[in-house]
Amino acid sequence: MRRFLASSIGVTCAAALSLPLVLPASPASAAPVTPRSGESPPGEPLSAEPVSGSTQSIPLVPFGGDRAGGPDAPEQGVTRRGVRSFSLVGVVWDDPETELRGRVQVRTRATGTARWSGWQDIETHNQEHAADPESAERASGRVRGSTAPLWVGASDGVELRVRAEIEHRTGVPGVQTLPSGLRLELVDPGVGTEPPPVGGGSADASRLGPLTAEAAAASAVNAELAPLGALEIPALSARDADQQNAAEPGAAARVAPRPAMVTRRGWGADEQLRERQFLYTKRVKVAFVHHTASGNNYSCSQAASVIRSIYRYHVLSTGWRDIGYNFLIDKCGTIYEGRAGGVAKAVMGAHTRGFNANSMGVAVIGSFGTTKPPGAAVTGIAKLTAWKLGLYGAVANGKTYLTSGGGNLYAKGKKVRLNVISGHRDGFATECPGRALYSRLGTVRSQAARYQGR
């Protein structure tokens, strides 16, 4: 598949990412907490609002009777301790091709309290959310193996345990049962802008100050849809969509009403974290639906903070060029621009390993293995996919072919027949987007087709 690179802008503006002071770790022997690459060391003064956030990275140590086992230990973790404020956690390791076969659990202390949560599981199967094999993004040398991120809310204490599955414990000295270089990542989303009420009129972006070169580039690619620096892309009414279709009666594309969307500036993306160039594919033939597997314990007013945290985790912790998804949708149905490059353009994401070319990834924020997805989120998927797929002449309730870039279901080069609106598990052997959300995709296809007037 042909891929296209476009420069986001030639000039960059320097800006330091600042972190608050480090709280002392509880045990004297606790592993050191270090900031992720691209951030200032602890102790620097806070920058002006909005604050872009921070990432603390803590190496895991052997637990139990395996304290001398080093990286071979089947049980590792982080002892209970106080840390700087964070809201999202994840675990990363050195080799992205190595799977973490085991159980990862975390417990956290709510900020400013003595209240600790119970143990929460972190989803370990995450390698299917990735750039395609042999792609430049995958081969950058920066990519790490990672769990899914978990939103825990404002916290200032943490404890983590990782246990290898019993069948993978060899007992042979020198044979590792867990990946090398395990680290706990604690992400603080910082203080962003409050996203505008979608569809509630124009929002005032002037209070955010001047655009950086990177922010201007990320906004300029949406110039045909919204003013430079806009916090929201307004909805396109059914009447306006019909007028566009009437103006081009012979066109393959069938424009559906465009839903309102919160822009990257609207949810507070720090544009200096991502790579400067935008990466494009040829067209959008399939929309893959995902869940973020980050838990459901967030409010709609926190959705922008969740997205900023996932963005930081994808870029600084996992080593991707940008957030992996092209769009995200919260439990209230609000749609957010994901990977930079333009919401109407065929932006190459890192969401469905083996099928990122000629597709888009839409992630509902939450975990939907057993939890029923909110109706507003299901409707949001239908509205978004009807519009975006229609721009490229794709029939929402139809089928099409994509060529696999390589994965655990289809060999590289195999042409695969897929629903135009598919679940992640249709392209890769995974639980994503969760059984409960996957069961609603028939409804999504029918609704989206109606929005397209089919």
Side-chain angles (χ1 to χ4, degrees):
M1 293 297 172
R2 291 196 305 161
R3 297 171 185 175
F4 305 91
L5 281 171
S7 175
S8 63
I9 210 158
V11 182
T12 58
C13 298
L17 304 178
S18 303
L19 305 175
L21 293 173
V22 179
L23 294 175
S26 46
S29 59
V33 180
T34 58
R36 268 290 170 202
S37 176
E39 298 179 352
S40 301
E44 294 290 328
L46 286 173
S47 61
E49 300 289 350
V51 179
S52 64
S54 64
T55 302
Q56 303 168 73
S57 187
I58 307 173
L60 273 61
V61 297
F63 271 5
D66 298 289
R67 292 186 181 275
D72 303 336
E75 297 187 16
Q76 301 179 39
V78 171
T79 55
R80 184 185 296 199
R81 66 186 64 192
V83 292
R84 301 194 312 278
S85 180
F86 67 95
S87 295
L88 180 140
V89 304
V91 173
V92 300
W93 54 93
D94 294 340
D95 185 359
E97 299 301 328
T98 301
E99 291 187 56
L100 196 167
R101 299 181 182 274
R103 189 176 189 183
V104 179
Q105 293 180 298
V106 69
R107 55 187 310 208
T108 56
R109 183 180 64 199
T111 297
T113 74
R115 186 176 69 254
W116 284 82
S117 71
W119 288 103
Q120 299 185 73
D121 285 297
I122 299 176
E123 175 59 59
T124 59
H125 301 292
N126 194 52
Q127 67 167 351
E128 62 269 23
H129 297 83
D132 289 346
E134 301 179 15
S135 66
E137 182 169 4
R138 186 74 176 178
S140 67
R142 298 188 299 272
V143 178
R144 305 177 186 90
S146 64
T147 67
L150 178 68
W151 177 261
V152 294
S155 305
D156 61 8
V158 69
E159 184 177 4
L160 178 84
R161 62 191 185 195
V162 178
R163 295 173 176 169
E165 292 175 354
I166 297 298
E167 57 265 38
H168 296 289
R169 300 188 184 195
T170 65
V172 179
V175 178
Q176 290 185 224
T177 55
L178 291 171
S180 297
L182 288 166
R183 302 185 72 90
L184 171 64
E185 304 287 289
L186 306 176
V187 181
D188 172 21
V191 181
T193 61
E194 183 177 350
V198 173
S202 60
D204 180 16
S206 61
R207 68 182 187 277
L208 301 181
L211 290 168
T212 63
E214 296 85 0
S219 181
V221 287
N222 292 317
E224 294 182 0
L225 308 178
L228 187 67
L231 306 183
E232 176 192 356
I233 294 172
L236 177 72
S237 69
R239 179 179 178 180
D240 290 339
D242 288 341
Q243 289 177 348
Q244 285 194 23
N245 289 322
E248 301 179 72
R254 185 170 184 84
V255 178
R258 183 182 65 232
M261 289 168 264
V262 177
T263 65
R264 288 172 63 91
R265 197 179 195 211
W267 56 259
D270 179 352
E271 299 294 355
Q272 297 186 44
L273 295 183
R274 63 170 174 82
E275 289 194 18
R276 298 296 178 262
Q277 293 179 315
F278 304 136
L279 184 62
Y280 296 102
T281 185
K282 186 176 180 180
R283 59 187 299 109
V284 179
K285 297 176 64 178
V286 173
F288 285 104
V289 177
H290 305 257
H291 67 169
T292 58
S294 53
N296 301 313
N297 296 322
Y298 73 95
S299 65
C300 292
S301 63
Q302 294 175 311
S305 294
V306 178
I307 296 171
R308 289 197 304 276
S309 297
I310 293 174
Y311 172 45
R312 291 187 65 86
Y313 184 69
H314 281 183
V315 176
L316 292 184
S317 300
T318 307
W320 297 352
R321 61 181 296 118
D322 195 348
I323 192 169
Y325 307 112
N326 297 103
F327 298 91
L328 299 97
I329 300 175
D330 68 24
K331 62 177 65 175
C332 292
T334 301
I335 300 169
Y336 302 82
E337 178 184 13
R339 181 166 285 208
V343 297
K345 300 181 184 297
V347 178
M348 176 79 79
H351 50 81
T352 306
R353 183 175 179 176
F355 290 100
N356 291 302
N358 295 330
S359 74
M360 61 184 270
V362 182
V364 180
I365 303 171
S367 301
F368 300 103
T370 58
T371 300
K372 182 180 178 181
V378 173
T379 299
I381 301 171
K383 289 181 176 180
L384 173 63
T385 53
W387 169 72
K388 183 65 180 278
L389 291 167
L391 296 179
Y392 293 87
V395 179
N397 59 353
K399 293 181 181 293
T400 190
Y401 285 89
L402 288 181
T403 301
S404 172
N408 62 2
L409 272 184
Y410 303 106
K412 181 178 180 181
K414 182 176 178 58
K415 291 185 177 180
V416 182
R417 191 167 186 253
L418 295 162
N419 287 306
V420 168
I421 299 177
S422 285
H424 185 181
R425 63 174 64 181
D426 295 320
F428 200 98
T430 174
E431 291 297 313
C432 184
R435 186 174 68 253
L437 178 54
Y438 187 78
S439 69
R440 300 301 308 280
L441 294 190
T443 300
V444 169
R445 295 181 194 110
S446 297
Q447 288 183 353
R450 285 198 298 272
Y451 289 130
Q452 287 185 336
R454 301 186 187 276

